Amino acid sequence: MDGRGERGGRRGRPAASRGRGAVRAAARSSSLGRGRSAAGGPGDAAAAALRGARRDGSAGRRGPPARRGSVVRNLPAGPAAGGGDAPAAPRSRAAAAGVPAARRRAAVPDGAVVPPLPAAASSSGGLRLREVLSRLSLGRQDVSEASGLVNQVVSQLIQAIRSQEGSFGSIERLGAGSYYEHVKISEPNEFDIMLVMPVSRLQLDECDDTGAYYYLTFKRNPKEKHLFKFLDEDGKLSAFKMLQALRDIIKQEVKNIKNAEVTVKRKKAGSPAITLQIKNPPAEISVDIILTLEVQQSWPPSTQDGLKIEQWLGRKVRGEFRNKSLYLVAKQNQKEKVPRGNTWRLSFSHIEKAMLNNHGSSKTCCESDGPKCCRKGCLKLLKYLLEQLKMKYTKQLKKFCSYHVKTAFFHSCVMWPNDTDWHLGDLDHCFQKYLGYFLDCLQKSELPHFFIPRYNLLSLEDKVSNDFLSRQINYQLNNRFPIFQERY
């Protein structure tokens, strides 16, 4: 389900089966005007023609030619399922249903090119992605010990926070982030805990043009009069004041924790989190406590055109998500010339968690008795690639975080919405598609927030950094990901 134990591609099919599939694919390709012969020969002859056309690059994709800059020439090790290269994508889903995912080429955004998979590579020709994934899987015992320790510490803190008169008595705990989305890699050493505080209706006023950051004021006769002490001189709810009050409670309570050594890390400017460091020899565990307001009201207009999951998860699911509460976290807007600590940022962590844990277009995808996909495996691989590159080029890549990778992942799930597009045995091919889209975003310096489309997560102001990351990823791709074999 999470990319653990990925299989090494589907077994080769009998020659007759491959021949019939190739004939159908050749017939479709000729009808799409791709320049191949319409009189394809029988069985293996047609399959050979398709593979030959792919290898010499003569078969182009539909639509206008792609810009050269976004073409990726080489690929990670691992043949396509069935032993051949990937022919063109069918026009419709009905046609796609008859063609294995690894043997067709999916549509990509303008300017992005999904390059063909290589012919069969030798087993020693590079580190296979499935082997990397198996390394990234978390050990059950490690997870159990780490999560148990975190639960004990956080439970004690919540009890202390609730016991304070008034301010935070109604908070509830919500696990968020990669651990609770089951896409954590390498070690269970980082946890995100949202402390969710229900608040009655608020007035939201945008504080910039992103549609993500807001000033909050109470409407007439609010129930939460105990929060008035956190208003600033303009009547806005101060994220800084609320976060500072919560931090003071936590700093006092960690002194009373007996079964673990816990410290509160120094505050990072603009960060919405209170970070705990828990000693768990021989390592340490980092826990981010995030103050979150839960508001029972409609999502703001900036979200209207986001969350386009109708073709992936369905129109009904989208409606259910948009009917959920609005979450805001105490996050300082870095664009403010004079930061005053009174801005709040929209958060969709609860929706992201639901999408990742129920990610299939069919309800049984990745259930114990259902078909398996490689969606989460692809996400883990790109998270790991960015993590390793950031360790190597810390200064140049400081602007990037795993949320860029996750956002590109959600967009990829929308572009390739069917479970057959992410067949478990097609890991190399699927990762290639996903990586190709992310590279295209870097090249254009354009990655729309999945819920707030006008909010671009890859600003043109950071084009130097975007181009640098693009070059590094292309180098890794062209050289079979040598960084996956390095240790930092």
Side-chain angles (χ1 to χ4, degrees):
M1 182 188 303
D2 302 345
R4 301 177 188 175
E6 301 283 6
R7 289 188 289 113
R10 286 170 286 181
R11 299 191 180 188
R13 300 177 186 173
S17 174
R18 286 198 297 271
R20 286 193 297 272
V23 170
R24 288 195 296 269
R28 277 191 295 274
S29 294
S30 63
S31 69
L32 296 178
R34 288 185 174 263
R36 293 178 185 152
S37 171
D44 293 336
L50 285 172
R51 290 194 292 272
R54 259 314 158 203
R55 279 194 287 270
D56 65 20
S58 61
R61 72 181 185 89
R62 290 196 302 273
R67 294 189 296 274
R68 284 186 183 177
S70 62
V71 177
V72 183
R73 293 179 179 81
N74 298 321
L75 297 162
D85 299 324
R91 273 192 194 276
S92 67
R93 287 195 192 178
V99 183
R103 301 181 66 113
R104 62 180 192 272
R105 226 178 148 193
V108 294
D110 290 341
V113 172
V114 176
L117 287 171
S122 67
S123 59
S124 60
L127 193 63
R128 291 183 181 275
L129 298 182
R130 290 177 297 276
E131 296 171 359
V132 178
L133 267 182
S134 66
R135 282 210 324 259
L136 298 180
S137 297
L138 304 181
R140 285 190 178 184
Q141 184 173 350
D142 293 339
V143 169
S144 178
E145 291 177 0
S147 61
L149 186 55
V150 169
N151 287 336
Q152 290 177 28
V153 170
V154 173
S155 295
Q156 182 170 336
L157 291 178
I158 289 177
Q159 188 175 358
I161 293 168
R162 285 176 178 165
S163 67
Q164 301 293 314
E165 291 186 8
S167 302
F168 303 105
S170 60
I171 62 167
E172 296 290 341
R173 168 182 172 168
L174 175 67
S178 59
Y179 174 77
Y180 297 96
E181 294 163 348
H182 305 295
V183 289
K184 186 77 181 74
I185 57 175
S186 302
E187 296 179 52
N189 57 359
E190 293 179 350
F191 293 78
D192 295 329
I193 306 292
M194 300 179 83
L195 296 188
V196 182
M197 188 172 171
V199 180
S200 59
R201 291 176 61 82
L202 293 168
Q203 174 67 40
L204 275 65
D205 296 303
E206 293 187 17
C207 67
D208 64 6
D209 59 356
T210 65
Y213 290 88
Y214 291 83
Y215 298 120
L216 306 183
T217 53
F218 285 108
K219 294 192 174 182
R220 187 176 299 175
N221 298 322
K223 298 177 182 178
E224 296 81 9
K225 290 183 170 56
H226 57 277
L227 297 181
F228 282 8
K229 62 185 176 183
F230 298 126
L231 299 180
D232 64 12
E233 60 271 22
D234 297 323
K236 297 183 177 69
L237 189 59
S238 171
F240 173 79
K241 289 183 178 182
M242 289 191 71
L243 207 54
Q244 187 59 50
L246 185 61
R247 171 181 283 270
D248 289 344
I249 297 172
I250 291 175
K251 285 181 71 174
Q252 188 63 36
E253 182 59 26
V254 295
K255 299 175 183 177
N256 301 324
I257 296 176
K258 305 299 183 185
N259 60 340
E261 185 177 341
V262 184
T263 55
V264 180
K265 293 189 70 174
R266 291 186 62 180
K267 184 172 69 171
K268 292 182 182 177
S271 171
I274 300 168
T275 304
L276 309 178
Q277 206 74 24
I278 305 175
K279 286 201 172 180
N280 185 33
E284 290 188 342
I285 299 172
S286 176
V287 181
D288 280 349
I289 305 290
I290 303 162
L291 176 62
T292 307
L293 301 183
E294 179 184 11
V295 190
Q296 296 284 349
Q297 65 189 55
S298 299
W299 293 11
S302 62
T303 67
Q304 188 62 44
D305 296 325
L307 192 62
K308 291 297 186 183
I309 59 173
E310 291 90 340
Q311 299 302 313
W312 170 28
L313 300 178
R315 189 177 303 276
K316 181 181 177 181
V317 173
R318 183 179 189 268
E320 291 171 352
F321 284 159
R322 286 189 58 85
N323 283 329
K324 289 185 180 293
S325 301
L326 184 67
Y327 280 22
L328 297 118
V329 296
K331 172 66 175 175
Q332 176 63 49
N333 185 358
Q334 302 299 326
K335 289 186 177 181
E336 283 193 320
K337 292 183 179 178
V338 182
R340 299 177 61 187
N342 59 1
T343 57
W344 298 77
R345 188 187 65 194
L346 294 179
S347 171
F348 303 92
S349 295
H350 55 316
I351 310 296
E352 293 163 5
K353 179 180 175 181
M355 289 194 297
L356 278 166
N357 289 336
N358 299 277
H359 54 259
S361 56
S362 68
K363 292 183 179 179
T364 59
C365 181
C366 289
E367 290 186 355
S368 57
D369 56 348
K372 305 298 186 290
C373 79
C374 65
R375 286 182 179 92
K376 284 190 174 181
C378 290
L379 175 56
K380 287 182 178 181
L381 285 169
L382 191 46
K383 277 168 58 86
Y384 184 54
L385 177 59
L386 179 60
E387 180 183 283
Q388 293 295 95
L389 288 172
K390 280 176 67 72
M391 288 183 184
K392 192 171 185 178
Y393 305 105
T394 304
K395 183 179 179 180
Q396 296 93 326
L397 299 179
K398 64 182 179 181
K399 298 266 185 186
F400 295 97
C401 64
S402 62
Y403 197 73
H404 291 103
V405 169
K406 187 200 282 189
T407 300
F409 171 76
F410 287 140
H411 285 299
S412 296
C413 287
V414 168
M415 283 187 291
W416 297 288
N418 300 317
D419 295 343
T420 52
D421 296 328
W422 302 87
H423 193 281
L424 183 63
D426 302 333
L427 177 64
D428 288 2
H429 178 71
C430 296
F431 183 59
Q432 170 198 337
K433 292 189 303 184
Y434 170 34
L435 194 57
Y437 170 69
F438 187 56
L439 283 167
D440 189 60
C441 292
L442 290 170
Q443 181 185 331
K444 296 176 179 177
S445 290
E446 186 174 337
L447 177 61
H449 192 288
F450 193 67
F451 298 85
I452 312 169
R454 77 183 199 218
Y455 182 20
N456 181 18
L457 300 180
L458 293 177
S459 171
L460 278 170
E461 298 173 0
D462 299 322
K463 184 163 177 55
V464 172
S465 298
N466 300 338
D467 289 345
F468 182 87
L469 179 56
S470 178
R471 288 194 302 272
Q472 296 306 319
I473 291 177
N474 269 304
Y475 173 82
Q476 294 296 322
L477 190 56
N478 294 339
N479 291 277
R480 301 181 185 275
F481 299 102
I483 202 165
F484 283 164
Q485 301 179 63
E486 298 174 7
R487 292 287 187 273
Y488 292 96

